[in-house]
Amino acid sequence: MPTWAKIILTVMAILIALFIGAGFVGYHWMMKNKDHFIAIRKEGVTFGGGKDFAQCADAALSRLGGGMASQIEARLFLEGCLSTATKSETVCEGAPPKSEIMRTAQWAVENCRRRGKVNEQGCTQVFQTLSEVCQR
């Protein structure tokens, strides 16, 4: 077997091992934090009673920190909150259907820009979730 083929096979094996390892670590992290994430969603459900979608979005945005865990928590809180809140036409205005991925991303970025949260991935995730619920 030529040397270049051995190198390619070695690199592929390393990448596959890293992918499997990352999946294993991610799974265990999620299982370790499952109860916490369920509690965050329940907190959102409780908060959403008597509130509207805009208040849910603002509360979720206030929970954003710098890490991936805070993004997950903000999104779970928002999903719970939106399940019990009343739909707000003003915050849903212009929300594109889920099938229009690029328009949804642009809508989310624009809403984040209006709130002074430029280039924040967590903010765009919040508004992408909101867009999905607005279309229901």
Side-chain angles (χ1 to χ4, degrees), residues 28-99:
H28 282 285
W29 181 79
M30 289 296 287
M31 290 298 106
K32 181 179 149 193
N33 293 297
K34 180 177 76 170
D35 293 336
H36 174 69
F37 292 144
I38 290 170
I40 294 289
R41 189 174 194 296
K42 285 181 182 177
E43 190 178 328
V45 169
T46 302
F47 179 84
K51 305 283 192 308
D52 67 7
F53 282 13
Q55 291 168 308
C56 288
D58 290 339
L61 290 173
S62 71
R63 294 173 162 268
L64 287 173
M68 181 181 71
S70 76
Q71 292 176 12
I72 293 170
E73 289 175 8
R75 204 159 179 182
L76 288 170
F77 176 86
L78 179 66
E79 289 171 358
C81 188
L82 295 175
S83 71
T84 55
T86 57
K87 189 172 184 176
S88 171
E89 294 304 323
T90 55
V91 78
C92 288
E93 186 177 321
K98 185 178 179 179
S99 61

Short mmCIF file of all heavy atoms in Angstrom, two decimals, residues 28-99:
data_model
loop_
_atom_site.label_atom_id
_atom_site.label_comp_id
_atom_site.label_asym_id
_atom_site.label_seq_id
_atom_site.Cartn_x
_atom_site.Cartn_y
_atom_site.Cartn_z
N HIS A 28 -22.93 11.80 27.70
CA HIS A 28 -22.81 11.74 29.16
C HIS A 28 -23.03 13.10 29.81
O HIS A 28 -23.62 13.18 30.90
CB HIS A 28 -21.45 11.14 29.56
CG HIS A 28 -21.43 9.65 29.41
ND1 HIS A 28 -22.06 8.81 30.29
CD2 HIS A 28 -20.90 8.86 28.46
CE1 HIS A 28 -21.91 7.56 29.89
NE2 HIS A 28 -21.21 7.56 28.78
N TRP A 29 -22.61 14.16 29.16
CA TRP A 29 -22.85 15.50 29.69
C TRP A 29 -24.34 15.79 29.74
O TRP A 29 -24.84 16.32 30.72
CB TRP A 29 -22.11 16.54 28.85
CG TRP A 29 -22.28 17.94 29.35
CD1 TRP A 29 -21.63 18.53 30.40
CD2 TRP A 29 -23.17 18.93 28.82
NE1 TRP A 29 -22.07 19.83 30.54
CE2 TRP A 29 -23.00 20.09 29.60
CE3 TRP A 29 -24.08 18.94 27.77
CZ2 TRP A 29 -23.72 21.26 29.36
CZ3 TRP A 29 -24.79 20.10 27.53
CH2 TRP A 29 -24.61 21.24 28.32
N MET A 30 -25.05 15.44 28.67
CA MET A 30 -26.50 15.67 28.63
C MET A 30 -27.21 14.84 29.70
O MET A 30 -28.10 15.33 30.37
CB MET A 30 -27.07 15.34 27.25
CG MET A 30 -26.70 16.32 26.17
SD MET A 30 -27.34 17.97 26.46
CE MET A 30 -29.06 17.71 26.10
N MET A 31 -26.82 13.59 29.87
CA MET A 31 -27.45 12.74 30.88
C MET A 31 -27.16 13.26 32.29
O MET A 31 -28.04 13.22 33.16
CB MET A 31 -26.98 11.29 30.75
CG MET A 31 -27.49 10.59 29.51
SD MET A 31 -29.29 10.47 29.46
CE MET A 31 -29.71 11.67 28.26
N LYS A 32 -25.97 13.76 32.50
CA LYS A 32 -25.59 14.29 33.81
C LYS A 32 -26.41 15.54 34.15
O LYS A 32 -26.76 15.78 35.30
CB LYS A 32 -24.10 14.63 33.81
CG LYS A 32 -23.58 15.17 35.10
CD LYS A 32 -22.09 15.44 34.97
CE LYS A 32 -21.71 16.60 35.85
NZ LYS A 32 -20.39 17.10 35.57
N ASN A 33 -26.74 16.35 33.14
CA ASN A 33 -27.45 17.60 33.34
C ASN A 33 -28.93 17.54 33.00
O ASN A 33 -29.61 18.57 33.00
CB ASN A 33 -26.79 18.70 32.51
CG ASN A 33 -25.41 19.01 33.02
OD1 ASN A 33 -25.23 19.47 34.14
ND2 ASN A 33 -24.40 18.73 32.20
N LYS A 34 -29.46 16.36 32.72
CA LYS A 34 -30.84 16.19 32.27
C LYS A 34 -31.85 16.80 33.25
O LYS A 34 -32.75 17.54 32.85
CB LYS A 34 -31.14 14.71 32.04
CG LYS A 34 -32.55 14.42 31.58
CD LYS A 34 -32.74 12.95 31.31
CE LYS A 34 -32.86 12.22 32.61
NZ LYS A 34 -33.29 10.82 32.48
N ASP A 35 -31.71 16.50 34.53
CA ASP A 35 -32.66 17.00 35.52
C ASP A 35 -32.64 18.53 35.58
O ASP A 35 -33.68 19.16 35.73
CB ASP A 35 -32.37 16.41 36.90
CG ASP A 35 -32.64 14.91 36.95
OD1 ASP A 35 -33.44 14.42 36.14
OD2 ASP A 35 -32.02 14.24 37.80
N HIS A 36 -31.45 19.10 35.47
CA HIS A 36 -31.32 20.56 35.47
C HIS A 36 -32.04 21.16 34.26
O HIS A 36 -32.75 22.16 34.37
CB HIS A 36 -29.84 20.95 35.47
CG HIS A 36 -29.59 22.41 35.33
ND1 HIS A 36 -29.92 23.32 36.32
CD2 HIS A 36 -29.07 23.13 34.30
CE1 HIS A 36 -29.60 24.53 35.90
NE2 HIS A 36 -29.09 24.44 34.69
N PHE A 37 -31.87 20.55 33.10
CA PHE A 37 -32.50 21.06 31.88
C PHE A 37 -34.03 20.93 31.95
O PHE A 37 -34.75 21.81 31.49
CB PHE A 37 -31.96 20.36 30.63
CG PHE A 37 -30.52 20.70 30.33
CD1 PHE A 37 -29.66 19.75 29.81
CD2 PHE A 37 -30.02 21.97 30.56
CE1 PHE A 37 -28.34 20.07 29.52
CE2 PHE A 37 -28.71 22.30 30.28
CZ PHE A 37 -27.86 21.34 29.76
N ILE A 38 -34.51 19.84 32.54
CA ILE A 38 -35.95 19.67 32.71
C ILE A 38 -36.50 20.75 33.63
O ILE A 38 -37.56 21.33 33.38
CB ILE A 38 -36.28 18.25 33.23
CG1 ILE A 38 -36.00 17.22 32.13
CG2 ILE A 38 -37.72 18.15 33.71
CD1 ILE A 38 -36.05 15.78 32.59
N ALA A 39 -35.76 21.05 34.70
CA ALA A 39 -36.19 22.10 35.64
C ALA A 39 -36.21 23.47 34.96
O ALA A 39 -37.13 24.27 35.22
CB ALA A 39 -35.25 22.13 36.84
N ILE A 40 -35.25 23.75 34.09
CA ILE A 40 -35.21 25.03 33.37
C ILE A 40 -36.45 25.15 32.48
O ILE A 40 -37.09 26.20 32.42
CB ILE A 40 -33.93 25.15 32.52
CG1 ILE A 40 -32.69 25.23 33.40
CG2 ILE A 40 -34.00 26.33 31.56
CD1 ILE A 40 -32.53 26.51 34.17
N ARG A 41 -36.81 24.07 31.78
CA ARG A 41 -37.99 24.12 30.91
C ARG A 41 -39.26 24.33 31.74
O ARG A 41 -40.12 25.11 31.37
CB ARG A 41 -38.11 22.85 30.08
CG ARG A 41 -39.20 22.98 29.01
CD ARG A 41 -39.24 21.79 28.09
NE ARG A 41 -40.02 22.02 26.91
CZ ARG A 41 -41.33 22.25 26.88
NH1 ARG A 41 -42.02 22.33 27.99
NH2 ARG A 41 -41.96 22.41 25.74
N LYS A 42 -39.36 23.63 32.88
CA LYS A 42 -40.53 23.81 33.76
C LYS A 42 -40.61 25.24 34.28
O LYS A 42 -41.69 25.80 34.41
CB LYS A 42 -40.46 22.83 34.93
CG LYS A 42 -40.81 21.40 34.54
CD LYS A 42 -40.74 20.48 35.74
CE LYS A 42 -41.04 19.04 35.33
NZ LYS A 42 -40.90 18.12 36.46
N GLU A 43 -39.46 25.82 34.56
CA GLU A 43 -39.42 27.22 34.99
C GLU A 43 -39.99 28.12 33.90
O GLU A 43 -40.72 29.07 34.17
CB GLU A 43 -37.98 27.61 35.32
CG GLU A 43 -37.82 28.93 36.00
CD GLU A 43 -36.36 29.22 36.32
OE1 GLU A 43 -35.59 28.28 36.58
OE2 GLU A 43 -36.00 30.41 36.30
N GLY A 44 -39.65 27.82 32.65
CA GLY A 44 -40.19 28.57 31.53
C GLY A 44 -41.69 28.42 31.41
O GLY A 44 -42.41 29.39 31.16
N VAL A 45 -42.19 27.20 31.61
CA VAL A 45 -43.64 26.95 31.55
C VAL A 45 -44.35 27.78 32.61
O VAL A 45 -45.36 28.44 32.33
CB VAL A 45 -43.94 25.44 31.73
CG1 VAL A 45 -45.42 25.20 31.94
CG2 VAL A 45 -43.43 24.64 30.54
N THR A 46 -43.81 27.79 33.81
CA THR A 46 -44.40 28.57 34.90
C THR A 46 -44.36 30.06 34.61
O THR A 46 -45.34 30.78 34.80
CB THR A 46 -43.66 28.28 36.23
OG1 THR A 46 -43.74 26.87 36.49
CG2 THR A 46 -44.28 29.04 37.38
N PHE A 47 -43.23 30.53 34.12
CA PHE A 47 -43.07 31.95 33.82
C PHE A 47 -44.02 32.40 32.72
O PHE A 47 -44.54 33.52 32.75
CB PHE A 47 -41.62 32.24 33.40
CG PHE A 47 -41.36 33.67 33.04
CD1 PHE A 47 -41.07 34.60 34.04
CD2 PHE A 47 -41.40 34.10 31.72
CE1 PHE A 47 -40.82 35.92 33.72
CE2 PHE A 47 -41.17 35.44 31.40
CZ PHE A 47 -40.88 36.34 32.40
N GLY A 48 -44.27 31.53 31.75
CA GLY A 48 -45.09 31.89 30.59
C GLY A 48 -46.56 32.13 30.89
O GLY A 48 -47.25 32.80 30.11
N GLY A 49 -47.05 31.63 32.00
CA GLY A 49 -48.46 31.85 32.35
C GLY A 49 -48.74 33.34 32.53
O GLY A 49 -48.09 34.00 33.33
N GLY A 50 -49.67 33.87 31.75
CA GLY A 50 -50.02 35.28 31.85
C GLY A 50 -49.07 36.22 31.12
O GLY A 50 -49.21 37.43 31.20
N LYS A 51 -48.10 35.67 30.42
CA LYS A 51 -47.14 36.49 29.67
C LYS A 51 -47.41 36.32 28.17
O LYS A 51 -48.18 35.49 27.75
CB LYS A 51 -45.71 36.05 29.97
CG LYS A 51 -45.31 36.03 31.43
CD LYS A 51 -45.04 37.39 31.96
CE LYS A 51 -44.38 37.44 33.31
NZ LYS A 51 -44.92 36.70 34.41
N ASP A 52 -46.75 37.16 27.37
CA ASP A 52 -46.84 37.00 25.92
C ASP A 52 -45.47 36.59 25.36
O ASP A 52 -44.49 36.54 26.09
CB ASP A 52 -47.38 38.26 25.24
CG ASP A 52 -46.44 39.45 25.34
OD1 ASP A 52 -45.31 39.30 25.81
OD2 ASP A 52 -46.84 40.55 24.91
N PHE A 53 -45.44 36.30 24.07
CA PHE A 53 -44.22 35.82 23.42
C PHE A 53 -43.05 36.79 23.59
O PHE A 53 -41.91 36.38 23.77
CB PHE A 53 -44.46 35.56 21.94
CG PHE A 53 -45.18 34.28 21.62
CD1 PHE A 53 -45.82 33.53 22.60
CD2 PHE A 53 -45.23 33.81 20.32
CE1 PHE A 53 -46.49 32.36 22.31
CE2 PHE A 53 -45.89 32.64 20.00
CZ PHE A 53 -46.52 31.90 20.99
N ALA A 54 -43.32 38.08 23.51
CA ALA A 54 -42.26 39.08 23.64
C ALA A 54 -41.61 39.01 25.01
O ALA A 54 -40.37 39.10 25.13
CB ALA A 54 -42.81 40.48 23.37
N GLN A 55 -42.41 38.85 26.05
CA GLN A 55 -41.86 38.75 27.40
C GLN A 55 -41.04 37.47 27.56
O GLN A 55 -40.02 37.46 28.25
CB GLN A 55 -42.99 38.80 28.43
CG GLN A 55 -43.64 40.18 28.51
CD GLN A 55 -44.92 40.17 29.31
OE1 GLN A 55 -45.82 39.36 29.05
NE2 GLN A 55 -45.01 41.07 30.28
N CYS A 56 -41.49 36.40 26.92
CA CYS A 56 -40.72 35.15 26.96
C CYS A 56 -39.37 35.32 26.27
O CYS A 56 -38.34 34.87 26.78
CB CYS A 56 -41.49 34.03 26.28
SG CYS A 56 -42.93 33.43 27.19
N ALA A 57 -39.38 35.98 25.11
CA ALA A 57 -38.13 36.19 24.38
C ALA A 57 -37.17 37.05 25.20
O ALA A 57 -35.98 36.75 25.30
CB ALA A 57 -38.41 36.84 23.03
N ASP A 58 -37.68 38.11 25.81
CA ASP A 58 -36.83 38.98 26.63
C ASP A 58 -36.24 38.22 27.81
O ASP A 58 -35.06 38.38 28.13
CB ASP A 58 -37.61 40.20 27.12
CG ASP A 58 -37.95 41.17 25.99
OD1 ASP A 58 -37.27 41.13 24.94
OD2 ASP A 58 -38.90 41.96 26.16
N ALA A 59 -37.05 37.39 28.46
CA ALA A 59 -36.57 36.61 29.60
C ALA A 59 -35.51 35.60 29.17
O ALA A 59 -34.50 35.40 29.85
CB ALA A 59 -37.72 35.90 30.29
N ALA A 60 -35.71 34.97 28.00
CA ALA A 60 -34.73 34.01 27.49
C ALA A 60 -33.43 34.72 27.14
O ALA A 60 -32.34 34.21 27.44
CB ALA A 60 -35.28 33.28 26.28
N LEU A 61 -33.52 35.89 26.53
CA LEU A 61 -32.32 36.64 26.17
C LEU A 61 -31.54 37.06 27.42
O LEU A 61 -30.30 37.09 27.39
CB LEU A 61 -32.67 37.87 25.34
CG LEU A 61 -33.17 37.59 23.93
CD1 LEU A 61 -33.67 38.88 23.27
CD2 LEU A 61 -32.09 36.94 23.08
N SER A 62 -32.24 37.36 28.50
CA SER A 62 -31.55 37.78 29.72
C SER A 62 -30.79 36.62 30.36
O SER A 62 -29.89 36.84 31.16
CB SER A 62 -32.55 38.37 30.72
OG SER A 62 -33.37 37.36 31.26
N ARG A 63 -31.12 35.40 29.99
CA ARG A 63 -30.45 34.22 30.53
C ARG A 63 -29.19 33.85 29.77
O ARG A 63 -28.44 32.97 30.20
CB ARG A 63 -31.40 33.02 30.50
CG ARG A 63 -32.57 33.18 31.41
CD ARG A 63 -33.57 32.04 31.20
NE ARG A 63 -34.44 31.97 32.33
CZ ARG A 63 -34.23 31.20 33.40
NH1 ARG A 63 -33.19 30.43 33.47
NH2 ARG A 63 -35.08 31.21 34.41
N LEU A 64 -28.97 34.49 28.63
CA LEU A 64 -27.80 34.13 27.81
C LEU A 64 -26.51 34.58 28.46
O LEU A 64 -26.39 35.71 28.91
CB LEU A 64 -27.91 34.76 26.42
CG LEU A 64 -28.92 34.14 25.48
CD1 LEU A 64 -29.02 34.97 24.22
CD2 LEU A 64 -28.54 32.71 25.16
N GLY A 65 -25.57 33.67 28.50
CA GLY A 65 -24.22 33.98 28.94
C GLY A 65 -23.29 33.75 27.76
O GLY A 65 -23.71 33.82 26.62
N GLY A 66 -22.08 33.42 28.04
CA GLY A 66 -21.14 33.23 26.96
C GLY A 66 -20.99 31.81 26.49
O GLY A 66 -20.42 31.55 25.44
N GLY A 67 -21.48 30.84 27.25
CA GLY A 67 -21.21 29.45 26.92
C GLY A 67 -22.35 28.71 26.27
O GLY A 67 -23.47 29.20 26.17
N MET A 68 -22.03 27.50 25.84
CA MET A 68 -23.01 26.65 25.18
C MET A 68 -24.13 26.26 26.15
O MET A 68 -25.29 26.19 25.77
CB MET A 68 -22.33 25.40 24.63
CG MET A 68 -23.28 24.48 23.91
SD MET A 68 -22.50 22.99 23.28
CE MET A 68 -22.18 22.09 24.78
N ALA A 69 -23.79 26.01 27.41
CA ALA A 69 -24.80 25.60 28.39
C ALA A 69 -25.86 26.69 28.56
O ALA A 69 -27.05 26.39 28.63
CB ALA A 69 -24.15 25.27 29.72
N SER A 70 -25.45 27.95 28.59
CA SER A 70 -26.43 29.03 28.76
C SER A 70 -27.31 29.15 27.52
O SER A 70 -28.49 29.51 27.63
CB SER A 70 -25.76 30.36 29.07
OG SER A 70 -25.17 30.93 27.91
N GLN A 71 -26.78 28.85 26.35
CA GLN A 71 -27.58 28.88 25.13
C GLN A 71 -28.63 27.78 25.16
O GLN A 71 -29.79 28.00 24.80
CB GLN A 71 -26.70 28.72 23.90
CG GLN A 71 -25.80 29.91 23.65
CD GLN A 71 -24.86 29.71 22.48
OE1 GLN A 71 -25.02 28.78 21.70
NE2 GLN A 71 -23.89 30.58 22.35
N ILE A 72 -28.23 26.60 25.62
CA ILE A 72 -29.18 25.48 25.73
C ILE A 72 -30.26 25.83 26.75
O ILE A 72 -31.45 25.63 26.52
CB ILE A 72 -28.45 24.18 26.12
CG1 ILE A 72 -27.54 23.73 24.98
CG2 ILE A 72 -29.44 23.08 26.49
CD1 ILE A 72 -26.60 22.60 25.35
N GLU A 73 -29.84 26.38 27.90
CA GLU A 73 -30.79 26.74 28.95
C GLU A 73 -31.77 27.81 28.47
O GLU A 73 -32.97 27.72 28.74
CB GLU A 73 -30.05 27.22 30.19
CG GLU A 73 -29.33 26.11 30.91
CD GLU A 73 -28.50 26.60 32.09
OE1 GLU A 73 -28.59 27.80 32.44
OE2 GLU A 73 -27.76 25.79 32.65
N ALA A 74 -31.27 28.83 27.77
CA ALA A 74 -32.15 29.90 27.28
C ALA A 74 -33.16 29.35 26.29
O ALA A 74 -34.35 29.71 26.33
CB ALA A 74 -31.32 31.00 26.62
N ARG A 75 -32.73 28.45 25.45
CA ARG A 75 -33.64 27.88 24.46
C ARG A 75 -34.69 26.98 25.12
O ARG A 75 -35.87 27.02 24.75
CB ARG A 75 -32.83 27.10 23.43
CG ARG A 75 -33.53 26.97 22.14
CD ARG A 75 -32.58 26.67 21.03
NE ARG A 75 -33.35 26.53 19.82
CZ ARG A 75 -32.85 26.23 18.66
NH1 ARG A 75 -31.56 26.07 18.53
NH2 ARG A 75 -33.61 26.09 17.61
N LEU A 76 -34.28 26.18 26.09
CA LEU A 76 -35.24 25.33 26.80
C LEU A 76 -36.24 26.18 27.59
O LEU A 76 -37.44 25.88 27.60
CB LEU A 76 -34.50 24.38 27.75
CG LEU A 76 -33.73 23.25 27.09
CD1 LEU A 76 -32.86 22.54 28.11
CD2 LEU A 76 -34.67 22.28 26.41
N PHE A 77 -35.75 27.23 28.25
CA PHE A 77 -36.63 28.13 28.98
C PHE A 77 -37.65 28.74 28.02
O PHE A 77 -38.84 28.79 28.30
CB PHE A 77 -35.82 29.24 29.65
CG PHE A 77 -36.66 30.26 30.35
CD1 PHE A 77 -37.08 30.06 31.66
CD2 PHE A 77 -37.05 31.42 29.71
CE1 PHE A 77 -37.86 31.00 32.31
CE2 PHE A 77 -37.83 32.37 30.34
CZ PHE A 77 -38.24 32.15 31.65
N LEU A 78 -37.18 29.20 26.86
CA LEU A 78 -38.06 29.82 25.88
C LEU A 78 -39.12 28.84 25.38
O LEU A 78 -40.29 29.19 25.29
CB LEU A 78 -37.25 30.36 24.70
CG LEU A 78 -38.07 31.01 23.59
CD1 LEU A 78 -38.74 32.29 24.11
CD2 LEU A 78 -37.18 31.33 22.39
N GLU A 79 -38.71 27.62 25.06
CA GLU A 79 -39.68 26.63 24.58
C GLU A 79 -40.76 26.38 25.62
O GLU A 79 -41.95 26.29 25.29
CB GLU A 79 -38.97 25.32 24.22
CG GLU A 79 -38.13 25.42 22.97
CD GLU A 79 -37.27 24.19 22.72
OE1 GLU A 79 -37.29 23.25 23.55
OE2 GLU A 79 -36.56 24.17 21.71
N GLY A 80 -40.37 26.27 26.90
CA GLY A 80 -41.36 26.09 27.96
C GLY A 80 -42.26 27.30 28.10
O GLY A 80 -43.48 27.17 28.21
N CYS A 81 -41.66 28.48 28.07
CA CYS A 81 -42.41 29.72 28.23
C CYS A 81 -43.42 29.90 27.10
O CYS A 81 -44.58 30.24 27.33
CB CYS A 81 -41.43 30.89 28.27
SG CYS A 81 -42.18 32.48 28.68
N LEU A 82 -43.00 29.65 25.88
CA LEU A 82 -43.88 29.84 24.73
C LEU A 82 -45.04 28.85 24.72
O LEU A 82 -46.08 29.12 24.13
CB LEU A 82 -43.09 29.72 23.42
CG LEU A 82 -42.03 30.79 23.17
CD1 LEU A 82 -41.23 30.48 21.92
CD2 LEU A 82 -42.65 32.18 23.09
N SER A 83 -44.87 27.72 25.41
CA SER A 83 -45.95 26.72 25.43
C SER A 83 -47.15 27.20 26.25
O SER A 83 -48.25 26.70 26.06
CB SER A 83 -45.42 25.38 25.96
OG SER A 83 -45.15 25.46 27.35
N THR A 84 -46.93 28.16 27.16
CA THR A 84 -48.04 28.63 27.99
C THR A 84 -48.36 30.11 27.78
O THR A 84 -49.38 30.59 28.26
CB THR A 84 -47.74 28.40 29.49
OG1 THR A 84 -46.51 29.04 29.82
CG2 THR A 84 -47.66 26.93 29.81
N ALA A 85 -47.51 30.83 27.07
CA ALA A 85 -47.72 32.26 26.85
C ALA A 85 -48.71 32.49 25.71
O ALA A 85 -48.98 31.59 24.91
CB ALA A 85 -46.39 32.94 26.51
N THR A 86 -49.23 33.71 25.65
CA THR A 86 -50.13 34.06 24.56
C THR A 86 -49.31 34.61 23.40
O THR A 86 -48.31 35.31 23.60
CB THR A 86 -51.17 35.11 25.01
OG1 THR A 86 -50.49 36.25 25.50
CG2 THR A 86 -52.09 34.55 26.07
N LYS A 87 -49.78 34.30 22.21
CA LYS A 87 -49.07 34.73 21.00
C LYS A 87 -49.12 36.25 20.88
O LYS A 87 -50.16 36.87 21.07
CB LYS A 87 -49.70 34.08 19.77
CG LYS A 87 -48.91 34.28 18.51
CD LYS A 87 -49.51 33.45 17.38
CE LYS A 87 -48.67 33.55 16.13
NZ LYS A 87 -49.17 32.68 15.07
N SER A 88 -47.99 36.84 20.56
CA SER A 88 -47.88 38.27 20.38
C SER A 88 -47.61 38.56 18.91
O SER A 88 -46.56 38.18 18.38
CB SER A 88 -46.72 38.81 21.24
OG SER A 88 -46.45 40.15 20.93
N GLU A 89 -48.56 39.20 18.26
CA GLU A 89 -48.42 39.46 16.82
C GLU A 89 -47.26 40.40 16.53
O GLU A 89 -46.61 40.30 15.50
CB GLU A 89 -49.72 40.02 16.25
CG GLU A 89 -50.86 39.03 16.26
CD GLU A 89 -50.57 37.72 15.52
OE1 GLU A 89 -49.87 37.75 14.48
OE2 GLU A 89 -51.02 36.67 16.01
N THR A 90 -46.95 41.31 17.45
CA THR A 90 -45.87 42.26 17.19
C THR A 90 -44.52 41.56 17.13
O THR A 90 -43.71 41.85 16.26
CB THR A 90 -45.82 43.37 18.26
OG1 THR A 90 -45.72 42.78 19.55
CG2 THR A 90 -47.05 44.25 18.19
N VAL A 91 -44.27 40.63 18.05
CA VAL A 91 -42.98 39.94 18.05
C VAL A 91 -42.92 38.90 16.92
O VAL A 91 -41.84 38.59 16.43
CB VAL A 91 -42.66 39.31 19.42
CG1 VAL A 91 -43.41 38.02 19.63
CG2 VAL A 91 -41.17 39.09 19.59
N CYS A 92 -44.06 38.41 16.49
CA CYS A 92 -44.10 37.42 15.42
C CYS A 92 -44.16 38.06 14.02
O CYS A 92 -44.11 37.36 13.01
CB CYS A 92 -45.30 36.49 15.59
SG CYS A 92 -45.12 35.34 16.97
N GLU A 93 -44.29 39.37 13.98
CA GLU A 93 -44.41 40.06 12.70
C GLU A 93 -43.21 39.77 11.80
O GLU A 93 -42.06 39.96 12.18
CB GLU A 93 -44.50 41.56 12.94
CG GLU A 93 -44.78 42.37 11.68
CD GLU A 93 -44.92 43.84 12.00
OE1 GLU A 93 -45.52 44.17 13.04
OE2 GLU A 93 -44.42 44.64 11.21
N GLY A 94 -43.51 39.30 10.62
CA GLY A 94 -42.47 39.02 9.63
C GLY A 94 -41.75 37.71 9.82
O GLY A 94 -40.80 37.42 9.09
N ALA A 95 -42.15 36.91 10.81
CA ALA A 95 -41.49 35.62 11.04
C ALA A 95 -41.77 34.70 9.86
O ALA A 95 -42.91 34.40 9.56
CB ALA A 95 -41.99 34.99 12.33
N PRO A 96 -40.72 34.27 9.17
CA PRO A 96 -40.91 33.41 7.99
C PRO A 96 -41.21 31.97 8.39
O PRO A 96 -40.95 31.57 9.52
CB PRO A 96 -39.57 33.50 7.27
CG PRO A 96 -38.59 33.88 8.31
CD PRO A 96 -39.32 34.63 9.37
N PRO A 97 -41.76 31.21 7.47
CA PRO A 97 -42.01 29.79 7.75
C PRO A 97 -40.70 29.04 7.98
O PRO A 97 -39.64 29.44 7.50
CB PRO A 97 -42.70 29.27 6.48
CG PRO A 97 -42.92 30.43 5.61
CD PRO A 97 -42.21 31.60 6.16
N LYS A 98 -40.77 27.94 8.71
CA LYS A 98 -39.60 27.13 9.05
C LYS A 98 -38.85 26.65 7.80
O LYS A 98 -37.64 26.51 7.82
CB LYS A 98 -40.05 25.93 9.89
CG LYS A 98 -38.95 25.08 10.40
CD LYS A 98 -39.50 23.94 11.24
CE LYS A 98 -38.40 23.06 11.75
NZ LYS A 98 -38.89 21.97 12.59
N SER A 99 -39.58 26.45 6.72
CA SER A 99 -38.95 25.93 5.50
C SER A 99 -38.03 26.95 4.83
O SER A 99 -37.18 26.57 4.03
CB SER A 99 -40.04 25.50 4.51
OG SER A 99 -40.85 26.62 4.17
#
